[in-house]
Structures are given as C-alpha cells and as structure tokens.
Amino acid sequence: MSDALHLEFEVSGNNFVSAGGASDEVKKTLKMLGIGAQYIRKVAIAMYEGEINMVIHAGGGRAIVDIYREKIVIVLKDQGPGIPDIDLALTEGYSTATDNIRDLGFGAGMGLPNMKKYTDEFNLESEVGKGTTVTMVVNFF
Amino acid sequence: MKLKNIVELLNAKVYCGEDQGDMELISACASDMMSDVLAFVKDQALLISGLCNPQVVRTADMMDIKCIVLVRGKVPTQDMIMIAKQKGIAIISSDYRMYSACGVLYKNGLIAGDQETI
Ligand SMILES: Nc1ncnc2c1ncn2[C@@H]1O[C@H](COP(=O)(O)OP(=O)(O)O)[C@@H](O)[C@H]1O
Ligand SMILES: [Mg+2]
C-alpha cells in the first residue's frame, strides 16, 4: 500500500463548468507518471462518465483515487438518491435524465455501460435514499 | 487534412487555436451526445458538434481530440475557450448545419473516426 499515490477530490453538484475536473487531474497525473496512452484513455472515459453521473444524478460526491505501479483504483462515492434497479441502470440506453440534462449532452444512458466496458473491475453498490458507490479498477498491463 | 483547410472548407470562424493551422487531422466524429463520443470514437482528431458547453471541451480532452467544430454558427463561451486554450484544443465555428458540415469534410477526404479504414 505504501507505494500508492493517493488523490481525493470533492465533486461539486452544482457546477457544470468544473465537472470533469477530477478526471482531468487524474489523467494529467497518469500522463506524468508515464502510464501507457491506451490505459489513460480507459481511465479517462470511465472516471469522467462516473464524475458526470455524480454531478447530474446525485448532486455531487467524492472521488478517491489510488494509483499503484500496476493499476489504478477509483472510488466514486455520493449521497444522492441511489439506484433502485442496478441491472436496469446498467442497460445500454437506459436513462432517467431529464430533457434539461439531455440538452447538456448527457443522458444517452451509455455512462454506466461505458464505465463497465472500459474497466477491468467494476462494482456498483447503491441504496435508495442513501447513495451510490462505484469502484473501478484499470490494470496497466 | 490540415486545420487551415478545414477552416476554409467550412468557411469557419476560429475562436481558439489560430496558431494551429498546420495541425494534421486524419478522421472525425459528429455527435451532440457526449457519451456517444466517449463510447464509439477510437483515434481521431476532430469532433463536430451542435452542442456548445464546457463539457464538449472536456469530452474532447478525455479522448485526446485536438479540434472541435461547432455547427450552426454556435459561439463558444468564455469557459470553453479558457479550457480549450489550456488543453491546446482548437475551436472553430461554421454556419453549416451538422449534416452539411460532415458531408463537406467527408467528400474532401476526412474519414470517420469509428472505422479502421474505408
Ligand atoms: N451516481 C448516481 N446516483 C443516482 N443515480 C445514478 C447514478 N449514476 C447513474 N444513475 C442512474 O442510472 C442511470 C443510467 O446511468 P448512465 O448509464 O450513466 O446513463 P445517463 O447518465 O446517460 O442517464 C441514470 O439515468 C440514473 O438513473
Ligand atoms: Mg451517465
């Protein structure tokens, strides 16, 4: 554990301009560490979709990131409304996003499927009324 | 295709990246839905969109896209220009509608970003 680089970010729920800032920082850090471009791409897509989800569906949250030599572990934690049916939420095209959100370019229902597709480990825990925690691992090999 | 040729073909206004005219762009994708860009786009350099907000620039950056073409004469916000400058992303705007902008670029040899080859 001691060789992990630990990063934490507050993801604001009411600032659409700054949304994606945490993913941007992580991407920059991985680049600085010389991680392969194909892995950085996967991390960027998965974390950015997750960060946007916390902004548009959960009123913000926290991103806790640990970077090891051979992998990155990303935990996205929010205290939003939670997800009643996780299997349904993971279906391509399923979205509860309003027209407002769609006008912003999100709400295609591809976020969670993208996150799962681009990560080596994906775990979603959610309790209605309590919040949602997404844990993702991307291996650098 | 060089950025300056794209600017010319689309009769576009350059909002950011004036000094990037010689940048080579080899493929493109077009969408107003950012998750589509994140899901289907492989390696390309140009994003054509009718969406005009900071997340278009963020999405482009996540995918290492170096140029955004806004259609229907959309004017980028200050936030967009600020992020784009930091990231070295060019933003240009054309009066063409999405379909026409894509058609013009495709006809002139810019291939789709979701295909290996044509
Ligand atoms: N952090 C979250 N908190 C509450 N609901 C969520 C969260 N993330 C996703 N969801 C739910 O899962 C659905 C599918 O998510 P996603 O695949 O990212 O699609 P989209 O964000 O485009 O709606 C969302 O519409 C929403 O109902
Ligand atoms: Mg989403």
Side-chain angles (χ1 to χ4, degrees), chain A residues 49 53-54 56-58 78 80-83 89 91 94-97 106-113 115 132, chain B residues 35:
Chain A
E49 287 280 15
N53 275 355
M54 291 202 293
I56 63 180
H57 301 300
D78 69 60
I83 302 173
T91 310
Y94 176 81
S95 175
T96 59
F106 290 91
M110 292 301 294
L112 291 174
M115 290 155 71
T132 300
Chain B
S35 287

Side-chain angles (χ1 to χ4, degrees), chain B residues 34-54:
Chain B
M34 293 303 102
S35 287
D36 286 347
V37 180
L38 294 161
F40 300 118
V41 173
K42 295 250 162 59
D43 257 320
Q44 83 305 300
L46 182 74
L47 169 62
I48 305 158
S49 189
L51 191 69
C52 188
N53 71 40

